[in-house]
Amino acid sequence: ELEDVGEVQLLQNGEEIKRPGIVHRLDRETSGVLLIAKTQEMFLHLKMQFQEHLIEKEYRAFIHGVIKKDTLVIDRAIGKSSGDFRQWSAQRGARGKMRDARTDIEVLVRGKGVTYIKASPKTGRTHQIRVHLKAIHHPVLCDPLYGFSDMVCPKELGRLALHAESVTFANLSGEPVRVRAEEPASFKDFLSLQSA
């Protein structure tokens, strides 16, 4: 049913791949909500909302270190990293076109050398949450690309500690719809260790 929904993605090598119904992406190791449109009309409707930054996204993440403020706004433009072609950067020395990016952070739990947060990206840049948290020296736990080189990944997590918790969008009638994915069991287990 979804075969003709969406757009073809063109890779750098010129190869085309079909992504039926896929409106947005999650990083490979990120769990959580992914929107898939069942009709071309809904695909275009969702695509427009993403482009206009009308979609509200909430993530949960365990980050390195303890953030003292209860809330903060990371408002830093993102460009390409000058040190690693795979990375983006919101720090001094980033190169290429700098694109505005904003992520709102709310502390949920302060733990033992870690903080459990809600992250709400207001723009949709590649790796935005991971890049912004690295820029303030609180990278996501178990992040092989943006974490500290000596950062130990807790065995209870075992993967990038980032979860797309919810997405809120307008349906074709203009009514808000919120889709939610419960945190993984590994997050709950690790969280219980932080408050013990």
Side-chain angles (χ1 to χ4, degrees), residues 160-189:
L160 179 69
L162 184 62
H163 174 75
E165 199 266 344
S166 71
V167 177
T168 304
F169 61 93
N171 66 16
L172 290 172
S173 303
E175 298 163 348
V177 176
R178 183 173 186 253
V179 181
R180 184 176 179 275
E182 193 171 330
E183 292 105 330
S186 59
F187 275 42
K188 293 176 181 176
D189 293 346

Side-chain angles (χ1 to χ4, degrees), residues 87-180:
Q87 292 185 356
W88 295 85
S89 178
Q91 296 169 281
R92 190 181 307 258
R95 58 184 173 78
K97 182 178 179 182
M98 300 299 289
R99 303 182 73 183
D100 290 342
R102 175 182 159 179
T103 306
D104 294 352
I105 304 293
E106 179 184 331
V107 170
L108 300 175
V109 177
R110 290 179 180 88
K112 301 167 185 169
V114 301
T115 307
Y116 188 51
I117 64 165
K118 174 174 83 173
S120 303
K122 301 304 178 187
T123 48
R125 308 298 177 217
T126 302
H127 298 171
Q128 177 175 318
I129 294 170
R130 297 164 68 189
V131 170
H132 272 168
L133 290 167
K134 177 183 180 178
I136 64 165
H137 310 292
H138 290 284
V140 177
L141 291 183
C142 306
D143 192 335
L145 194 56
Y146 295 101
F148 299 134
S149 58
D150 61 347
M151 194 163 64
V152 176
C153 178
K155 68 181 184 315
E156 295 84 5
L157 293 172
R159 67 160 182 89
L160 179 69
L162 184 62
H163 174 75
E165 199 266 344
S166 71
V167 177
T168 304
F169 61 93
N171 66 16
L172 290 172
S173 303
E175 298 163 348
V177 176
R178 183 173 186 253
V179 181
R180 184 176 179 275

